[in-house]
Amino acid sequence: KKTKHRAFNIGHNVATSTLDIFKVLKQELNYKKEPIFGPEVPEVINIRLDYSLAKKELLWKPKVKLEEGIKKTVEWLKKVEG
């Protein structure tokens, strides 16, 4: 069944571990604590978003690397949130 709405992955098509994302956020937020790992295997170890549908239908492609995108997002949030 066709719908009016679509979901698109917006990413950079490179597998990235949740730990790598944590490290970038830690640096950008000047967060001092270390991550806490549970004894169980995490559900998601690496994240890789395939943006091919967004590229095809929206003519979208990433212009910045993940680290730069996180940095810009943190800067924007600090600006709008004070």
Side-chain angles (χ1 to χ4, degrees):
K1 177 180 172 181
K2 284 198 165 201
T3 65
K4 293 189 273 184
H5 307 287
R6 301 287 308 264
F8 296 94
N9 284 326
I10 302 297
H12 65 327
N13 218 20
V14 175
T16 306
S17 73
T18 51
L19 182 58
D20 288 340
I21 293 171
F22 173 84
K23 288 176 182 177
V24 174
L25 285 167
K26 179 180 177 178
Q27 178 181 339
E28 292 305 317
L29 297 170
N30 199 25
Y31 187 72
K32 301 297 182 195
K33 296 184 179 180
E34 293 300 318
I36 298 171
F37 300 98
E40 66 280 344
V41 176
E43 183 178 326
V44 177
I45 296 173
N46 287 298
I47 300 167
R48 180 183 168 273
L49 297 178
D50 177 6
Y51 67 88
S52 60
L53 184 61
K55 182 178 179 181
K56 177 183 173 186
E57 295 196 14
L58 304 174
L59 304 176
W60 183 90
K61 64 181 181 177
K63 294 181 181 178
V64 299
K65 292 185 177 186
L66 178 67
E67 295 82 5
E68 183 182 350
I70 290 173
K71 181 178 180 174
K72 287 182 175 189
T73 300
V74 168
E75 288 172 358
W76 178 81
L77 285 169
K78 286 179 179 178
K79 184 177 175 181
V80 298
E81 295 294 323

